[in-house]
Amino acid sequence: MSKKIALFTLQTFSDTGGIQKMTRTLSHSLFTICSRKNWDFKLVSLCDKDTDLMPQYLPKANFKGYSRNKLNFILQSVFAAHKPDIVILSHINLALVGLLIRLLQPKTQIWLVAHGIEVWRSLSYNKRKLLSLCDKILCVSNFTLTQMEVWHRLPIVKCVVLNNVLDPFMHLPDNLNKPDYLLQRYGINKTDKVILSLTRLAHSEQYKGHERVLKAVAELKSHYDNLKYILAGKYDVLEGERIKKLIAEYGIEEQVILTGFISESEIPDHFLTADIFALPSKKEGFGIVFIEALACGLPVICGNADGSIDAIRNGELGTAIDPDDDHELENCIAANFAEPLTISKRRHLQQQCLAHFSERNYIKTLQKMLMDD
């Protein structure tokens, strides 16, 4: 039987972030499934413009952007002529849309994607109501599923875990050697011990753990005269000032490379430049950056207090530490440095990651969910 599937999002193509990356992959996977089944699929975005579409993910006929026009977005989504069988909301902030659809289209199933901190808290009436009326909640990690039960007392049968996966259009390196152009750009030698963190550096989000890595670098520099720390990602003014103050306070100006924003096309090469990826965060819903690092053959150190555990498959693919234990972080970095990262080790790590976090597996799981409903 033919189905109509609609994915409603806040933003998908006009910005870069974990949720945007996840939504792109979800849209591509849904489009792939619907194309195979001869079903109808539409991606609808509040903040994107029609011209923001990245056509590798889906054709323009399957996409509509509303350029932040909230009224048109709500009216045309809720009063659409062709009523979807399943509406998937990419974020809890679309609660009003979900409630209106439930009211006016009672036969339409409502699914919600639950990411992380946006649902690990007390919620407004509309958001709580949406949770109670949803037919299915797709939790990006087991940690988020647990938090949904703790915070909102939801029946577990309503919640399912659908781990994030790699963007199908991420360039996966075949040559796993350190790229010369980045070594030259940052003044790094091939024999240097290189730690990498890649994250959005916002003053309002001081839970990523990069300041812990800065402190670890200060403690470890006396043991490694060739230690480098690449702290990559766009930072706002306040966070930039805070980071630079810490670097000066710790006396690690020679060790730290603060890159600022790096383009998506260069992200895989940055993973190749490093020997360890370290980001002992406390509030990751899942942590797509961890599987991106693993897919480039880079060992990962993450926190053990959030959804990062799913990204490393409970320690199978990486190491989870107490994000508040500075000595554990230092010891973990030193232990990684003690075992040289060979090309064969990189290759094995990459293959293990792809075995678990490919879009192929994601599509298979999603299709089963859609077929069962």
Side-chain angles (χ1 to χ4, degrees):
M1 184 174 69
S2 180
K3 291 190 178 187
K4 298 183 180 69
I5 314 294
L7 172 61
F8 292 172
T9 77
L10 294 172
Q11 187 178 46
T12 306
F13 302 112
S14 55
D15 199 3
T16 299
I19 292 178
Q20 288 87 349
K21 285 185 176 182
M22 176 270 170
T23 308
R24 291 177 205 168
T25 299
L26 177 58
S27 67
H28 181 265
S29 297
L30 289 169
F31 173 71
T32 300
I33 293 167
C34 291
S35 296
R36 292 174 180 172
K37 295 290 182 180
N38 200 28
W39 295 347
D40 181 71
F41 173 69
K42 192 79 172 183
L43 169 63
V44 182
S45 173
L46 169 60
C47 296
D48 294 318
K49 303 185 295 292
D50 286 341
T51 53
D52 290 324
L53 173 68
M54 298 176 181
Q56 64 268 38
Y57 291 92
L58 69 164
K60 63 181 181 180
N62 298 81
F63 174 69
K64 176 61 181 174
Y66 282 90
S67 303
R68 299 183 181 273
N69 189 323
K70 191 171 184 179
L71 181 60
N72 281 348
F73 173 77
I74 292 174
L75 290 175
Q76 294 187 35
S77 299
V78 174
F79 297 100
H82 302 287
K83 312 301 183 189
D85 298 295
I86 299 175
V87 164
I88 303 174
L89 306 176
S90 74
H91 200 281
I92 191 74
N93 285 350
L94 292 166
L96 178 60
V97 173
L99 292 176
L100 289 172
I101 291 173
R102 173 60 80 213
L103 177 65
L104 299 172
Q105 304 172 24
K107 292 184 179 180
T108 296
Q109 286 206 23
I110 307 292
W111 295 10
L112 171 70
V113 181
H115 300 277
I117 57 174
E118 87 283 0
V119 290
W120 306 346
R121 59 180 70 173
S122 297
L123 298 174
S124 67
Y125 173 80
N126 279 351
K127 292 177 180 179
R128 295 197 308 271
K129 189 67 175 176
L130 175 68
L131 291 180
S132 70
L133 295 176
C134 275
D135 296 282
K136 198 181 296 290
I137 298 173
L138 309 179
C139 302
V140 300
S141 65
N142 284 282
F143 185 86
T144 290
L145 184 146
T146 301
Q147 293 300 302
M148 297 301 286
E149 182 183 16
V150 169
W151 281 97
H152 310 298
R153 305 300 179 189
L154 294 174
I156 287 297
V157 68
K158 180 183 288 194
C159 300
V160 297
V161 175
L162 182 66
N163 285 152
N164 293 332
V165 294
L166 293 163
D167 187 315
F169 299 103
M170 178 184 176
H171 170 66
L172 296 177
D174 184 55
N175 180 353
L176 298 178
N177 291 298
K178 295 190 175 189
D180 289 333
Y181 79 97
L182 287 183
L183 297 179
Q184 293 172 8
R185 178 189 297 177
Y186 298 132
I188 296 173
N189 296 316
K190 289 187 177 180
T191 56
D192 286 346
K193 304 288 189 183
V194 182
I195 306 167
L196 170 68
S197 298
L198 170 63
T199 186
R200 179 176 58 195
L201 301 166
H203 193 69
S204 60
E205 298 179 359
Q206 293 183 21
Y207 54 79
K208 294 292 186 178
H210 51 280
E211 71 277 6
R212 298 278 182 182
V213 184
L214 288 170
K215 188 174 181 181
V217 169
E219 293 297 322
L220 291 168
K221 70 173 185 176
S222 62
H223 301 284
Y224 304 96
D225 57 9
N226 60 344
L227 179 62
K228 298 291 184 182
Y229 176 37
I230 301 175
L231 180 51
K234 184 179 180 180
Y235 51 85
D236 58 33
V237 173
L238 288 177
E239 187 61 8
E241 290 175 352
R242 187 177 81 96
I243 291 169
K244 291 170 186 176
K245 183 177 179 181
L246 287 173
I247 291 171
E249 179 183 324
Y250 292 145
I252 50 177
E253 293 91 343
E254 295 298 315
Q255 285 75 34
V256 179
I257 299 161
L258 195 60
T259 71
F261 172 80
I262 59 173
S263 66
E264 285 199 46
S265 63
E266 285 193 349
I267 287 175
D269 284 347
H270 278 76
F271 290 135
L272 293 178
T273 302
D275 302 287
I276 307 168
F277 184 86
L279 195 68
S281 179
K282 297 180 183 180
K283 295 182 181 180
E284 298 293 332
F286 175 82
I288 289 177
V289 71
F290 297 123
I291 60 173
E292 290 180 336
L294 291 166
C296 296
L298 184 61
V300 162
I301 301 171
C302 64
N304 65 2
D306 58 14
S308 307
I309 293 291
D310 276 35
I312 63 165
R313 289 183 56 81
N314 297 308
E316 179 184 342
L317 300 181
T319 305
I321 63 168
D322 180 346
D324 292 321
D325 190 330
D326 294 331
H327 293 299
E328 189 176 6
L329 175 59
E330 293 163 22
N331 291 337
C332 191
I333 291 172
N336 273 271
F337 283 159
E339 296 289 335
L341 182 58
T342 63
I343 297 297
S344 61
K345 285 182 179 179
R346 277 192 180 271
R347 184 75 62 196
H348 177 73
L349 201 53
Q350 181 185 60
Q351 291 170 349
Q352 289 293 104
C353 177
L354 294 176
H356 298 292
F357 296 112
S358 71
E359 190 196 21
R360 180 178 174 183
N361 297 336
Y362 193 70
I363 287 174
K364 184 177 179 180
T365 304
L366 260 179
Q367 182 169 306
K368 185 177 187 306
M369 290 182 189
L370 293 168
M371 294 291 290
D372 288 345
D373 288 290

